[in-house]
């Protein structure tokens, strides 16, 4: 990419960030990123980020919903430093260490279900999704996995194979694992049945459940697990009807299928509850957590019914750095910080405020087609016009570009790449939240007034 050409389209001071972007392009493969604009992070604290050129930003992305407790939380930093003075890690494949088991105990207590649970660990949502697939197959002795169109579960082999938002042709380049099948997720705003899901949630749920059951029968009941995001994240914050999740849980019980609840993005208080599934009053068999779990340190977890977790033959859940002591210590501190600061409740309160503000914008700007969210996991669907609902990716990207110029980290995602992704820290100040929302509204006005050149889209990869 001709990075120097960006300067034609912005007055922002970005020389150092551009040099880092050029090095990134030289030494990192294209497939390792979906970059939006030349922001090279140099420092972060709380809900603020500074780039290599000294520009300051309010963070509405939090490194893809990782920093639920903000950047550099003092409690997490203390836990990391305390552990560093003892030892970095020693493999629990052969011996024992306290941080991993202490974290496992905490996770069994804050996850849904009054039954005996066990926990295994990984490093990212992707590898823990892989582990959940292993677990479901080992327990049921069945082969097939059901997933949903529009889903995002990660980029390791099993997770990518179960991801529905990446087209099949792209995935075929690396020969994904077989026996994974996709069914429709009940999107109330846009769905293949033409059902108005907000007005008729029961009809939408029934259509989707019929498709799931039809697929189970086609596979002669040989289905090990169904993996689902209780709210689809990267698809654009798609919230299914409550009846659907309840019906899906009943269906899995009827057919003896492991219900895998993938909470990588929706967990750790993000939606105004500890876990997204709690909005739907369903108890999963197995749950996957990552992203925000480590407070910024890489760690993931699979929490499940003890008898299901213990069905996996030794040593098929072993990693050398399983339950890494430093990351586990950070995760323990993260859980404690969320509890002590009442961030689950704060996410709901602030989320209600943000949703109200965006719904007011929706009344004033015809390009806002839908506003969806729980807590501080919110998607703003940008369209050509509200009547047609036609996705407008270019306009969404231009809004994000303008927001960056004005000092807000904002990106897009979604099945059509047209949804503004709103995921600030759960402890963001009301002042920063208000300022960020003002920047978004100003950016919308500037785009509609033709103040953002169409050419900037050429520099933005994005979803």
């Amino acid at each position: 990419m001709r990075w120097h050409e960006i300067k034609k389209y912005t007055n922002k001071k970005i020389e150092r960030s551009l040099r880092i972007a050029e090095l990134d392009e030289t030494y990192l493969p294209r497939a390792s990123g979906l970059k939006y604009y030349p922001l090279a992070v140099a420092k972060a604290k709380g809900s603020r980020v500074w780039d290599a050129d000294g520009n300051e930003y309010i963070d509405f992305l939090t490194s893809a919903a990782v920093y639920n407790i903000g950047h550099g939380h003092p409690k997490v930093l203390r836990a990391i430093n305390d552990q560093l003075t003892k030892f970095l890690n020693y493999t629990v494949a052969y011996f024992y260490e306290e941080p991993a088991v202490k974290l496992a105990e905490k996770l069994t207590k804050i996850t849904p279900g009054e039954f005996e649970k066990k926990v295994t660990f990984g490093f990212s949502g992707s590898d823990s999704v892989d582990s959940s697939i292993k677990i479901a197959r080992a327990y049921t002795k069945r082969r097939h996995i059901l997933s949903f169109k529009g889903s995002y579960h990660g980029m390791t082999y099993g997770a990518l194979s179960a991801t529905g938002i990446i087209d099949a042709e792209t995935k075929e380049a690396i020969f994904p694992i077989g026996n994974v099948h996709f069914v429709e997720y009940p999107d109330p705003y846009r769905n293949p049945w033409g059902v108005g899901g907000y007005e008729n949630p029961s009809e939408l749920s029934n259509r989707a459940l019929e498709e799931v059951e039809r697929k189970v029968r086609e596979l002669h009941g040989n289905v090990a697990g169904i993996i689902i995001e209780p709210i689809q994240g990267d698809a654009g914050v798609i919230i299914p009807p409550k009846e659907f999740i309840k019906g899906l849980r009943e269906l899995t019980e009827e057919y003896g299928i492991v219900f895998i609840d993938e909470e990588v993005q929706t967990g750790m208080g993000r939606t105004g509850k500890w876990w997204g599934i709690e909005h739907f009053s369903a108890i999963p068999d197995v749950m996957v957590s990552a992203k925000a779990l480590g407070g910024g340190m890489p760690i993931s977890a699979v929490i499940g019914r003890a008898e299901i977790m213990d069905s996996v033959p030794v040593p098929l859940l072993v990693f050398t750095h399983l339950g890494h002591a430093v990351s586990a210590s950070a995760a323990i501190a993260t859980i404690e910080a969320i509890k002590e600061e009442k961030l689950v409740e704060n996410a709901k309160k602030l989320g209600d405020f943000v949703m109200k503000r965006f719904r007011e914008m929706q009344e004033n700007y015809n390009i806002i087609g839908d506003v969806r969210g729980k807590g501080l996991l919110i998607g703003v669907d940008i369209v050509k016009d509200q009547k047609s609902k036609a996705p407008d990716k270019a306009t969404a990207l231009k809004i994000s570009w303008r927001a960056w110029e004005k000092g807000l980290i904002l990106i897009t995602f979604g099945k059509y790449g047209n949804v503004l992704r709103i995921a600030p820290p759960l402890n963001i100040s009301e002042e920063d939240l208000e300022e960020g929302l003002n920047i978004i509204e100003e950016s919308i006005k500037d785009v509609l007034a033709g103040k953002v050149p169409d050419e900037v889209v050429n520099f933005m990869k994005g979803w």
Side-chain angles (χ1 to χ4, degrees):
M1 185 179 293
R2 296 178 179 177
W3 291 104
H4 63 278
E5 293 186 2
I6 287 183
K7 295 179 184 178
K8 298 178 184 177
Y9 305 106
T10 184
N11 294 321
K12 199 171 185 69
K13 182 185 174 184
I14 53 172
E15 285 72 18
R16 291 183 180 179
S17 291
L18 284 177
R19 284 199 293 273
I20 294 169
E22 287 172 346
L23 289 171
D24 181 292
E25 189 172 75
T26 301
Y27 294 110
L28 302 184
R30 290 182 304 160
S32 64
L34 296 159
K35 309 296 174 67
Y36 281 83
Y37 30 75
L39 190 163
V41 176
K43 187 176 109 176
K45 188 67 178 174
S47 59
R48 296 268 174 162
V49 171
W50 291 261
D51 69 17
D53 296 277
N55 298 305
E56 185 175 354
Y57 303 88
I58 297 168
D59 191 0
F60 267 26
L61 177 61
T62 56
S63 193
V66 166
Y67 293 98
N68 284 13
I69 60 172
H71 297 277
H73 194 287
K75 190 177 185 74
V76 172
L77 295 182
R78 283 195 300 272
I80 292 170
N81 287 329
D82 288 348
Q83 184 59 43
L84 288 175
T85 63
K86 299 171 186 174
F87 65 99
L88 295 178
N89 189 58
Y90 203 98
T91 182
V92 297
Y94 302 125
F95 301 111
Y96 306 89
E97 60 182 38
E98 185 177 33
V101 293
K102 187 177 177 184
L103 174 59
E105 182 183 22
K106 283 186 176 292
L107 286 169
T108 63
K109 294 183 186 311
I110 64 171
T111 48
E114 299 300 320
F115 42 77
E116 186 182 352
K117 302 170 194 164
K118 289 193 175 183
V119 183
T120 189
F121 296 107
F123 313 98
S124 71
S126 298
D127 62 40
S128 278
V129 166
D130 282 15
S131 292
S132 75
I133 292 171
K134 292 180 193 176
I135 291 163
R137 285 174 164 171
Y139 179 70
T140 61
K141 306 294 189 292
R142 298 174 186 171
R143 183 178 300 270
H144 298 282
I145 298 292
L146 293 192
S147 185
F148 290 86
K149 296 175 184 178
S151 62
Y152 182 84
H153 297 299
M155 288 293 126
T156 51
Y157 252 92
L160 175 59
S161 301
T163 288
I165 201 170
I166 307 294
D167 65 88
E169 184 178 349
T170 299
K171 287 194 286 189
E172 279 302 318
I174 53 91
F175 306 105
I177 65 171
N179 304 304
V180 178
H181 310 268
F182 294 92
V183 290
E184 291 286 346
Y185 194 89
D187 180 346
Y189 188 60
R190 296 185 188 91
N191 59 73
W193 307 290
V195 175
Y198 295 127
E199 300 80 18
N200 300 296
S202 295
E203 182 182 355
L204 179 62
S205 297
N206 290 337
R207 294 287 188 97
L209 288 168
E210 286 167 5
E211 181 171 329
V212 173
E213 187 163 21
R214 186 161 54 246
K215 179 59 70 175
V216 171
R217 288 176 175 172
E218 282 177 16
L219 297 169
H220 308 290
N222 187 21
V223 177
I226 293 179
I227 183 166
I228 185 170
E229 299 162 273
I231 299 170
Q232 281 195 335
D234 284 31
V237 190
I238 309 301
I239 304 173
K242 189 171 184 177
E243 299 100 308
F244 173 74
I245 298 293
K246 180 177 181 291
L248 187 68
R249 173 72 274 205
E250 292 171 354
L251 188 151
T252 58
E253 290 173 340
E254 179 183 350
Y255 286 93
I257 297 167
V258 175
F259 187 107
I260 304 169
D261 173 28
E262 202 264 65
E263 297 268 0
V264 173
Q265 190 166 169
T266 53
M268 302 299 290
R270 170 59 56 186
T271 68
K273 292 186 180 290
W274 266 106
W275 309 100
I277 198 73
E278 293 177 296
H279 290 283
F280 304 95
S281 304
I283 307 295
D285 298 308
V286 169
M287 177 182 287
V288 178
S289 177
K291 283 191 183 290
L293 176 60
M297 293 297 289
I299 190 168
S300 61
V302 183
I303 310 101
R305 293 178 182 271
E307 68 272 20
I308 296 177
M309 302 295 286
D310 275 334
S311 69
V312 182
V314 176
L316 299 187
L317 292 177
V318 166
F319 298 118
T320 300
H321 289 296
L322 176 77
H324 192 283
V326 177
S327 292
S329 298
I332 291 166
T334 298
I335 291 170
E336 291 173 351
I338 291 171
K339 287 181 176 179
E340 290 166 6
E341 298 176 25
K342 296 183 170 26
L343 295 187
V344 177
E345 296 85 347
N346 205 49
K348 183 183 186 308
K349 182 186 79 170
L350 295 181
D352 289 346
F353 169 76
V354 174
M355 289 289 289
K356 180 175 181 293
R357 179 73 186 274
F358 275 120
R359 293 204 189 284
E360 290 169 355
M361 291 188 211
Q362 187 180 18
E363 293 294 318
N364 295 323
Y365 306 106
N366 195 38
I367 62 168
I368 298 179
D370 195 23
V371 180
R372 309 178 284 266
K374 294 284 187 184
L376 284 171
L377 178 66
I378 294 168
V380 180
D381 202 305
I382 302 300
V383 295
K384 298 287 187 183
D385 60 81
Q386 292 173 356
K387 184 177 181 180
S388 72
K389 301 183 183 180
D392 192 343
K393 179 178 179 178
T395 295
L397 287 171
K398 287 163 69 176
I399 292 167
S400 297
W401 176 279
R402 192 59 154 181
W404 161 66
E405 290 186 303
K406 290 175 175 286
L408 177 71
I409 297 177
L410 176 72
I411 70 166
T412 62
F413 63 175
K415 292 178 281 188
Y416 308 100
N418 70 308
V419 179
L420 303 181
R421 183 175 189 169
I422 313 298
L426 310 187
N427 55 1
I428 188 172
S429 69
E430 293 182 6
E431 293 76 17
D432 276 1
L433 191 63
E434 181 76 38
E435 185 178 346
L437 293 171
N438 289 340
I439 288 174
I440 292 174
E441 185 161 16
E442 291 167 8
S443 299
I444 289 172
K445 290 178 179 178
D446 285 353
V447 170
L448 292 176
K451 295 180 180 180
V452 180
D454 293 338
E455 288 82 0
V456 302
V457 174
N458 297 329
F459 298 102
M460 307 173 78
K461 297 176 185 176
W463 277 102

